[in-house]
Amino acid sequence: MIKLSPSILACDFSKLGEEIKKVELAGSQYIHLDVMDGIFVPNISFGVPVIQSIRPMSNMVFDTHLMITDPIRYIETFAKIGSDIITFHYESCENHIEVIDKIHSAGKKAAISIKPKTPAFVIESLIDKVEMVLVMTVEPGYGGQAFIPETINNIKAVKQMAQIHNPQLDIEVDGGITLDNIEIVTQAGANVIVAGSSVFKAPDINERVKEFLKY
Ligand code: DX5
Ligand code: ZN
């Protein structure tokens, strides 16, 4: 069974607490937190105070996706406020191993992410050092974009590398995932599914989460 990680970027922020409760009660195991700095990606989202205020109300796995330049500066902060998984971008820094070590020293799970145009082979030497790889299926920066079909190649390539170097690796996909394409990404090897708009903009959030969790 997949793990679902609804992205709060698609929430109605005036009802943030309520909407998070809904996905948790419906059975979602993770909650996806998109932190954007306006430099690594063209958009600014939210950061520490928002995550801090929702942490005490939920037992879901806090899946923090850092879309920020030079992420090592903020690893301790996001660990301290209760992230369980910290994902950073391959393209956002050069000191990948140092960042991974810092996440592990803080007692958290480490994940590395690649943008759609980054070929998966660049992370081959890191596959056995992380718990998860996040394959972006849209250009990072905004919710509500259409899934890029070519990213299937990256999912398959990460799966192949995982079979060789780290069979336990989780493979997460993020961007434009719906009930119409979930099967293609899971068949390619993904087992952690981020879904923003398709969960929080659904007519019935509870029902939509349950539909995703059938996969
Ligand atoms: C995009 C973010 C995604 C986004 C997904 O940069 O990383 O997590 O919120 O939203 P949807 O599912 O609407 O594409
Ligand atoms: Zn994300």
Side-chain angles (χ1 to χ4, degrees):
M1 197 174 110
I2 61 128
K3 292 193 176 81
L4 185 66
S5 194
S7 165
I8 69 164
L9 200 59
C11 280
D12 173 346
F13 281 94
S14 69
K15 299 186 190 138
L16 185 58
E18 238 174 86
E19 298 203 344
I20 290 172
K21 273 259 140 52
K22 269 192 202 167
V23 294
E24 185 162 22
L25 283 172
S28 178
Q29 308 93 332
Y30 290 15
I31 190 83
H32 188 80
L33 308 159
D34 287 305
V35 177
M36 304 180 184
D37 67 354
I39 298 171
F40 179 68
V41 287
N43 195 13
I44 297 175
S45 57
F46 55 81
V48 174
V50 170
I51 298 176
Q52 235 171 352
S53 59
I54 58 179
R55 180 68 276 190
M57 58 163 295
S58 171
N59 288 316
M60 286 184 286
V61 171
F62 271 39
D63 173 26
T64 303
H65 179 189
L66 297 180
M67 285 163 274
I68 64 174
T69 297
D70 202 8
I72 200 149
R73 300 173 296 146
Y74 286 98
I75 301 302
E76 277 165 3
T77 304
F78 284 99
K80 218 175 272 166
I81 62 169
S83 302
D84 299 298
I85 304 170
I86 300 181
T87 301
F88 69 103
H89 269 266
Y90 174 81
E91 306 86 354
S92 69
C93 59
E94 281 171 5
N95 52 347
H96 306 115
I97 295 187
E98 231 185 294
V99 177
I100 293 167
D101 286 347
K102 193 140 200 173
I103 298 171
H104 286 154
S105 308
K108 307 299 178 180
K109 290 188 174 167
I112 189 154
S113 180
I114 49 170
K115 299 205 279 184
K117 292 192 191 102
T118 302
F121 71 82
V122 301
I123 56 167
E124 181 151 18
S125 66
L126 302 170
I127 293 269
D128 65 345
K129 298 179 175 56
V130 291
E131 282 72 39
M132 185 169 85
V133 168
L134 167 51
V135 176
M136 287 305 301
T137 45
V138 300
E139 285 298 335
Y142 298 92
Q145 303 180 74
F147 172 75
I148 301 172
E150 292 76 19
T151 58
I152 287 290
N153 297 326
N154 268 351
I155 305 169
K156 288 184 178 160
V158 170
K159 180 71 186 172
Q160 263 179 8
M161 294 189 289
Q163 273 158 351
I164 301 166
H165 303 292
N166 185 359
Q168 304 301 314
L169 184 80
D170 284 318
I171 302 176
E172 183 174 52
V173 284
D174 183 8
I177 305 296
T178 65
L179 291 170
D180 294 327
N181 57 29
I182 184 168
E183 215 156 328
I184 320 172
V185 296
T186 51
Q187 271 167 11
N191 68 320
V192 182
I193 306 295
V194 177
S197 321
S198 50
V199 166
F200 288 110
K201 308 269 194 252
D204 184 332
I205 293 177
N206 172 61
E207 203 170 292
R208 184 57 56 86
V209 167
K210 295 206 155 100
E211 279 172 309
F212 269 107
L213 291 174
K214 287 180 189 151
Y215 288 89

mmCIF file of all heavy atoms in Angstrom, residues 7 32 34 65 67 134 136 174 194, ligand 2:
data_model
loop_
_atom_site.group_PDB
_atom_site.id
_atom_site.type_symbol
_atom_site.label_atom_id
_atom_site.label_comp_id
_atom_site.label_asym_id
_atom_site.label_seq_id
_atom_site.Cartn_x
_atom_site.Cartn_y
_atom_site.Cartn_z
ATOM 1 N N SER A 7 -0.235 17.656 0.454
ATOM 2 C CA SER A 7 0.549 18.896 0.560
ATOM 3 C C SER A 7 -0.343 20.046 1.002
ATOM 4 O O SER A 7 -1.298 20.414 0.314
ATOM 5 C CB SER A 7 1.169 19.238 -0.792
ATOM 6 O OG SER A 7 1.609 20.582 -0.770
ATOM 7 N N HIS A 32 2.646 16.751 3.946
ATOM 8 C CA HIS A 32 3.753 17.300 3.154
ATOM 9 C C HIS A 32 3.809 18.816 3.315
ATOM 10 O O HIS A 32 2.825 19.518 3.107
ATOM 11 C CB HIS A 32 3.532 16.915 1.690
ATOM 12 C CG HIS A 32 4.662 17.237 0.781
ATOM 13 N ND1 HIS A 32 5.796 16.453 0.676
ATOM 14 C CD2 HIS A 32 4.846 18.263 -0.086
ATOM 15 C CE1 HIS A 32 6.620 16.973 -0.230
ATOM 16 N NE2 HIS A 32 6.072 18.083 -0.705
ATOM 17 N N ASP A 34 5.698 22.187 2.171
ATOM 18 C CA ASP A 34 6.525 22.779 1.119
ATOM 19 C C ASP A 34 7.082 24.130 1.563
ATOM 20 O O ASP A 34 6.351 25.118 1.611
ATOM 21 C CB ASP A 34 5.676 22.985 -0.140
ATOM 22 C CG ASP A 34 5.376 21.677 -0.849
ATOM 23 O OD1 ASP A 34 6.327 20.952 -1.170
ATOM 24 O OD2 ASP A 34 4.180 21.395 -1.075
ATOM 25 N N HIS A 65 9.606 19.406 2.796
ATOM 26 C CA HIS A 65 10.251 19.520 1.473
ATOM 27 C C HIS A 65 10.875 20.910 1.369
ATOM 28 O O HIS A 65 10.170 21.889 1.147
ATOM 29 C CB HIS A 65 9.169 19.297 0.403
ATOM 30 C CG HIS A 65 9.647 19.399 -1.000
ATOM 31 N ND1 HIS A 65 8.794 19.409 -2.082
ATOM 32 C CD2 HIS A 65 10.907 19.504 -1.529
ATOM 33 C CE1 HIS A 65 9.484 19.503 -3.202
ATOM 34 N NE2 HIS A 65 10.763 19.578 -2.899
ATOM 35 N N MET A 67 12.586 23.695 -0.391
ATOM 36 C CA MET A 67 12.952 24.253 -1.704
ATOM 37 C C MET A 67 13.648 25.568 -1.422
ATOM 38 O O MET A 67 13.109 26.653 -1.668
ATOM 39 C CB MET A 67 11.694 24.423 -2.563
ATOM 40 C CG MET A 67 11.187 23.094 -3.110
ATOM 41 S SD MET A 67 9.487 23.180 -3.691
ATOM 42 C CE MET A 67 8.627 22.875 -2.157
ATOM 43 N N LEU A 134 12.966 11.957 -3.527
ATOM 44 C CA LEU A 134 11.753 12.631 -4.009
ATOM 45 C C LEU A 134 11.948 12.996 -5.469
ATOM 46 O O LEU A 134 12.804 13.830 -5.801
ATOM 47 C CB LEU A 134 11.474 13.885 -3.166
ATOM 48 C CG LEU A 134 10.447 14.895 -3.697
ATOM 49 C CD1 LEU A 134 9.134 14.240 -4.082
ATOM 50 C CD2 LEU A 134 10.178 15.967 -2.657
ATOM 51 N N MET A 136 10.594 14.891 -8.464
ATOM 52 C CA MET A 136 9.613 15.933 -8.803
ATOM 53 C C MET A 136 8.960 15.592 -10.138
ATOM 54 O O MET A 136 9.651 15.301 -11.117
ATOM 55 C CB MET A 136 10.285 17.305 -8.900
ATOM 56 C CG MET A 136 10.697 17.920 -7.576
ATOM 57 S SD MET A 136 9.378 18.086 -6.340
ATOM 58 C CE MET A 136 8.179 19.121 -7.178
ATOM 59 N N ASP A 174 5.994 13.960 -6.497
ATOM 60 C CA ASP A 174 5.399 15.229 -6.055
ATOM 61 C C ASP A 174 5.130 16.126 -7.250
ATOM 62 O O ASP A 174 6.053 16.523 -7.955
ATOM 63 C CB ASP A 174 6.390 15.898 -5.079
ATOM 64 C CG ASP A 174 5.864 17.194 -4.490
ATOM 65 O OD1 ASP A 174 4.681 17.515 -4.699
ATOM 66 O OD2 ASP A 174 6.664 17.875 -3.812
ATOM 67 N N VAL A 194 2.731 12.375 -2.943
ATOM 68 C CA VAL A 194 2.318 13.720 -2.528
ATOM 69 C C VAL A 194 1.124 14.108 -3.393
ATOM 70 O O VAL A 194 1.135 13.900 -4.607
ATOM 71 C CB VAL A 194 3.453 14.739 -2.727
ATOM 72 C CG1 VAL A 194 2.972 16.147 -2.348
ATOM 73 C CG2 VAL A 194 4.679 14.356 -1.903
HETATM 74 ZN ZN ZN B 2 6.549 19.312 -2.342
#
